[in-house]
Amino acid sequence: MTRTAQHPSSKQDPPYRRAARFAALAVAMSLPCHAAADDDAFLSIAALPSDLTELSLEQLLNIEVTSVSKRPEKLSSAAAAIYVLTGDQIRRSGARRIADALRLVPGLEVAQVDARTYAISARGFNSSSADKLQVLLDGRTVYTPLTSAVFWDVLDTYMDDIERIEVIRGPGATLWGANAVNGVINIVTRNAHDTVGTVVSAGGGTEVRAAAAMRSGVQVGHEGAVRFYAKSADRDASEFTDGSNGGDSSRITQGGFRGDWAPLSGKNLTVSGDLYSARFNTPPTSSQPQNQTTTASGANVLARWASGDGQPSGWTLQAYFDHYQRYIPNLYSEQRDTFDLDYQQRLPMSTANTLMFGVGYRNSRDRTGEPPENAVVFLPAARTLDVTSAFVQDQHSLLDGRVTITVGSKFEYNDFTGFEAQPGVRVGWQAAEGLFTWAAISRAVRTPNRLDSDVAIYCPPPDGFPGACGPGLFGLGNPEFESETLLAYEWGLRLWSESQLSLDLATFYNQYDRLRSQEGANAGNPFGSLGNGYQVDGYGGELVLGWNPSPDLGVQASYSLLKLDADAKPGSTDTSTGRTIEGSSPRHQAGLRISARPADRWSVDAFLRYVDNLPAYEVPAYTELDLRAAYQLNPALELSLSGRNLLSPRHAEFGSSNALQSIERSVFVELRWAW
């Protein structure tokens, strides 16, 4: 028998009032201000590849990453707080969504709000619409200009095709531009030449009730390869903390392709695309007995032409087009078309000096819903946004390459604030064999979005929403909203030894200014308007320890600390933003991961994690365990059993304090066949 949610906010509400509360929650969650609602790497330094005897620690330290400087460089000497999550780690973890896989990244804040919604951030300011992360999938930016957030519920691909996920904790705006304030997540899929063959998987369980996927790749002549994939998943609803049904079950289907060709010597062409459709339920109430359904669909295509791969000089030309539409009944709707063009060039000026530069253009057109169908609207209902950009970066090596100094800046022109500059300086020093240290000073900005400038709340006649607002359209957005700014100071240290021990430490001190606030609420306008009324000082760090005592065992331990001190600027009337900023991200996080092959054909992976409480949402601290065991029946068949959140029947991770939804214990059985 299906249980109907009976939480206080939904027992007796008529549909429009429920929509208003939902609207207020949605806006609040998007503001950090109100509590209403290449090979396998283990850690950054130590690794556990699919063939556990394949790579030594020295080889792992030479893994190349591209997110720090937009060119290949050794992981061990990258001057940033970077972590590499490999495809093999993702598969062995049992994660079925990119968002769940990101839990494995030390220091990253990953909280599941309900059955489909995630809050993901780095170094604070977490919410379900966190707006200070730059997230890319194969070079394609995936955040929406509406709120600068990522729709994690539809950010997906065939998980076995992910080669690695590079995560930078800390600003990356010098290269990646606005939104790369607190971090960069760069998801890189495998070259089509590496996925020739067919893989089919199917399974089911308690929360993911059924899931199936297939990928098939073929060689095309001597220079090319193409793969296609399709996947579908049916997920059960979450529960409220009292055990009642959350009513938010979902189903998503997705397919796509990638082709890679090398028709000319030294030049490579990549073409890829995806298509998805999803339906997400929202819980029924006494006044609305039928489930409401959120729908989301989209498609994208990308083309990249590159020369000089792996060479000192080279260039890349990339273009992509993305279309999506999203509809939440009684709340909001959005259709968006985005075109992006980017060019970058790498020039060696000498054996010790490399210059990089690039230019870009982005055009994004939207159409949003209007009253009375929508409670959250944007004025005007349709708008086109353009961003032009350029970057330049100079990297110079000293002392026979043991010291590297990188200086650069990103320059952007946007329709809200005009010209923005985001400079940065990074220094790396290979002080000794097995010892690398680095430091950085960076400026980053989060440029305004349509929520900052254009959002409004519609309260329908004749009575509006009693207790919330009278009838009318209330403009919350501020066309004069300024960019939020960050000045970040970072220092890091990496150690490794011949005894297969490693240490990665990153520390930071951040100064934020002109952060979003809600100003001037009164009886005539209960929502007030958005302003730049807060400043924040943040500090902390992340520590990762790795140990590979044998080829069949890898161990990692991690700990992160975050402290944010928020203060209203002189003249601000907002008294609640600071409490939410300080209490929406865990101060302490810790993790322990173990990957092992205890016997022939067996692999076992365990992840024990601790996450501190969130005072802003009255979410208690929790400790949970994920476990996966797999048996290789023969070279082509693998059977696995995954358990997630095994230490308690359910726990809350994020959300509105008056209606927390819980993440339940789950199991999933899967059969994987590859040929």
Side-chain angles (χ1 to χ4, degrees):
M1 180 176 178
T2 301
R3 291 167 293 180
T4 300
Q6 295 293 323
H7 56 291
S9 66
S10 63
K11 278 187 178 182
Q12 304 297 329
D13 289 349
Y16 270 117
R17 184 166 182 178
R18 181 170 59 85
R21 293 184 182 220
F22 191 19
L25 174 61
V27 173
M29 294 294 284
S30 67
L31 307 172
C33 47
H34 295 289
D38 295 338
D39 291 274
D40 301 311
F42 193 55
L43 295 181
S44 312
I45 306 292
L48 193 63
S50 54
D51 178 356
L52 297 178
T53 64
E54 181 182 353
L55 298 177
S56 66
L57 180 59
E58 181 181 2
Q59 290 172 313
L60 295 167
L61 294 168
N62 290 330
I63 289 175
E64 290 186 341
V65 296
T66 58
S67 299
V68 177
S69 60
K70 277 196 175 183
R71 68 177 186 86
E73 61 183 321
K74 293 180 181 180
L75 176 62
S76 60
S77 56
I82 186 170
Y83 179 92
V84 175
L85 182 64
T86 70
D88 187 62
Q89 290 177 354
I90 294 169
R91 187 175 68 83
R92 291 186 53 161
S93 73
R96 308 208 59 80
R97 291 188 279 200
I98 290 174
D100 284 324
L102 292 174
R103 293 183 186 276
L104 303 174
V105 179
L108 203 62
E109 300 156 30
V110 180
Q112 190 170 348
V113 182
D114 53 36
R116 68 174 180 88
T117 310
Y118 287 80
I120 300 179
S121 185
R123 297 182 174 176
F125 302 91
N126 204 13
S127 82
S128 59
S129 295
D131 56 14
K132 294 176 176 58
L133 270 183
Q134 176 68 281
V135 182
L136 306 104
L137 176 57
D138 281 334
R140 177 174 62 89
T141 301
V142 297
Y143 76 90
T144 170
L146 195 76
T147 63
S148 301
V150 175
F151 294 126
W152 292 102
D153 51 8
V154 293
L155 177 59
D156 205 358
T157 188
Y158 183 65
M159 299 295 281
D160 277 11
D161 285 345
I162 297 177
E163 179 180 292
R164 66 186 186 276
I165 302 177
E166 301 178 10
V167 179
I168 297 175
R169 305 178 306 273
T174 300
L175 290 176
W176 300 104
N179 261 50
V181 177
N182 280 5
V184 177
I185 298 176
N186 187 14
I187 305 161
V188 181
T189 65
R190 299 164 69 186
N191 190 293
H193 290 276
D194 299 326
T195 55
V196 174
T198 300
V199 181
V200 176
S201 60
T206 57
E207 292 304 304
V208 181
R209 294 179 291 201
M214 183 194 75
R215 182 253 289 149
S216 185
V218 296
Q219 203 78 32
V220 180
H222 297 291
E223 298 86 11
V226 178
R227 68 165 177 261
F228 300 88
Y229 79 89
K231 60 184 296 185
S232 182
D234 180 18
R235 293 183 170 89
D236 194 16
S238 63
E239 292 185 351
F240 288 99
T241 49
D242 64 0
S244 59
N245 190 290
D248 54 352
S249 58
S250 63
R251 176 172 294 178
I252 182 169
T253 301
Q254 179 166 329
F257 74 96
R258 172 169 170 163
D260 291 278
W261 294 268
L264 299 174
S265 177
K267 294 181 175 61
N268 300 282
L269 174 65
T270 298
V271 180
S272 63
D274 303 278
L275 178 71
Y276 68 86
S277 177
R279 297 174 64 86
F280 307 109
N281 292 323
T282 54
T285 66
S286 57
S287 59
Q288 184 66 50
Q290 299 299 318
N291 276 13
Q292 297 291 304
T293 301
T294 293
T295 58
S297 60
N300 62 78
V301 62
L302 176 145
R304 182 169 53 247
W305 181 241
S307 173
D309 185 29
Q311 301 301 314
S313 63
W315 52 262
T316 301
L317 177 64
Q318 175 179 288
Y320 73 80
F321 175 78
D322 179 270
H323 166 81
Y324 72 79
Q325 53 190 21
R326 196 174 186 91
Y327 173 64
I328 303 178
N330 298 324
L331 182 62
Y332 106 105
S333 61
E334 178 191 6
Q335 297 182 41
R336 182 171 298 278
D337 294 308
T338 299
F339 172 75
D340 189 282
L341 183 65
D342 182 84
Y343 174 82
Q344 68 179 48
Q345 176 84 49
R346 184 173 65 251
L347 295 174
M349 309 304 291
S350 68
T351 56
N353 183 230
T354 300
L355 179 69
M356 285 189 66
F357 61 89
V359 293
Y361 171 72
R362 192 180 200 213
N363 174 278
S364 189
R365 301 182 180 185
D366 67 44
R367 176 168 291 279
T368 61
E370 301 180 68
E373 291 81 10
N374 295 95
V376 176
V377 298
F378 295 83
L379 306 174
R383 188 167 180 179
T384 299
L385 301 176
D386 295 294
V387 178
T388 55
S389 65
F391 81 90
V392 61
Q393 175 181 273
D394 184 77
Q395 189 171 79
H396 198 84
S397 298
L398 305 171
L399 302 178
D400 298 323
R402 290 186 291 114
V403 175
T404 301
I405 302 174
T406 304
V407 181
S409 183
K410 184 85 169 186
F411 307 97
E412 294 183 321
Y413 189 89
N414 68 81
D415 291 340
F416 295 104
T417 61
F419 179 79
E420 300 280 1
Q422 302 177 81
V425 178
R426 294 186 179 272
V427 179
W429 178 29
Q430 189 74 53
E433 185 69 26
L435 172 60
F436 178 79
T437 186
W438 61 273
I441 303 176
S442 310
R443 181 182 188 270
V445 303
R446 185 192 69 78
T447 55
N449 50 51
R450 291 210 63 194
L451 186 145
D452 299 314
S453 176
D454 303 335
V455 71
I457 306 298
Y458 176 67
C459 301
D463 300 319
F465 300 118
C469 60
L473 186 63
F474 297 90
L476 177 61
N478 177 7
E480 303 301 319
F481 193 89
E482 301 178 86
S483 293
E484 300 179 338
T485 65
L486 165 66
L487 185 60
Y489 305 86
E490 299 178 274
W491 174 80
L493 176 71
R494 295 191 184 102
L495 297 170
W496 59 93
S497 70
E498 294 181 355
S499 59
Q500 303 298 307
L501 290 169
S502 63
L503 176 150
D504 195 339
L505 172 67
T507 63
F508 63 91
Y509 174 64
N510 291 340
Q511 294 178 309
Y512 301 88
D513 198 9
R514 304 202 304 244
L515 295 181
R516 186 164 54 195
S517 60
Q518 197 164 341
E519 308 287 351
N522 53 55
N525 183 357
F527 301 103
S529 63
L530 299 178
N532 297 95
Y534 261 81
Q535 57 190 13
V536 172
D537 287 345
Y539 63 86
E542 303 95 17
L543 174 66
V544 182
L545 302 174
W547 181 41
N548 281 33
S550 76
D552 294 332
L553 178 64
V555 181
Q556 136 190 324
S558 63
Y559 169 75
S560 64
L561 169 69
L562 172 68
K563 180 67 167 63
L564 298 176
D565 295 319
D567 294 296
K569 296 168 68 71
S572 174
T573 61
D574 186 339
T575 59
S576 58
T577 291
R579 183 171 59 253
T580 303
I581 290 175
E582 294 174 353
S584 61
S585 297
R587 179 171 296 188
H588 305 282
Q589 291 190 95
L592 177 66
R593 284 175 49 205
I594 300 175
S595 294
R597 290 192 186 274
D600 187 37
R601 298 189 179 188
W602 281 95
S603 65
V604 177
D605 293 79
F607 178 35
L608 179 69
R609 65 187 188 277
Y610 168 80
V611 180
D612 207 355
N613 69 311
L614 305 180
Y617 304 110
E618 301 178 14
V619 174
Y622 66 89
T623 302
E624 279 298 355
L625 173 68
D626 297 341
L627 185 65
R628 178 182 182 269
Y631 180 71
Q632 200 73 37
L633 299 168
N634 60 48
L637 281 175
E638 181 189 68
L639 180 65
S640 63
L641 174 64
S642 302
R644 306 184 71 81
N645 304 310
L646 296 176
L647 299 186
S648 61
R650 67 181 69 88
H651 70 276
E653 296 186 357
F654 207 88
S656 173
S657 56
N658 67 345
L660 287 176
Q661 286 175 260
S662 296
I663 312 307
E664 300 172 73
R665 176 189 293 144
S666 65
V667 295
F668 187 81
V669 179
E670 182 178 46
L671 183 65
R672 184 176 182 270
W673 182 24
W675 71 93

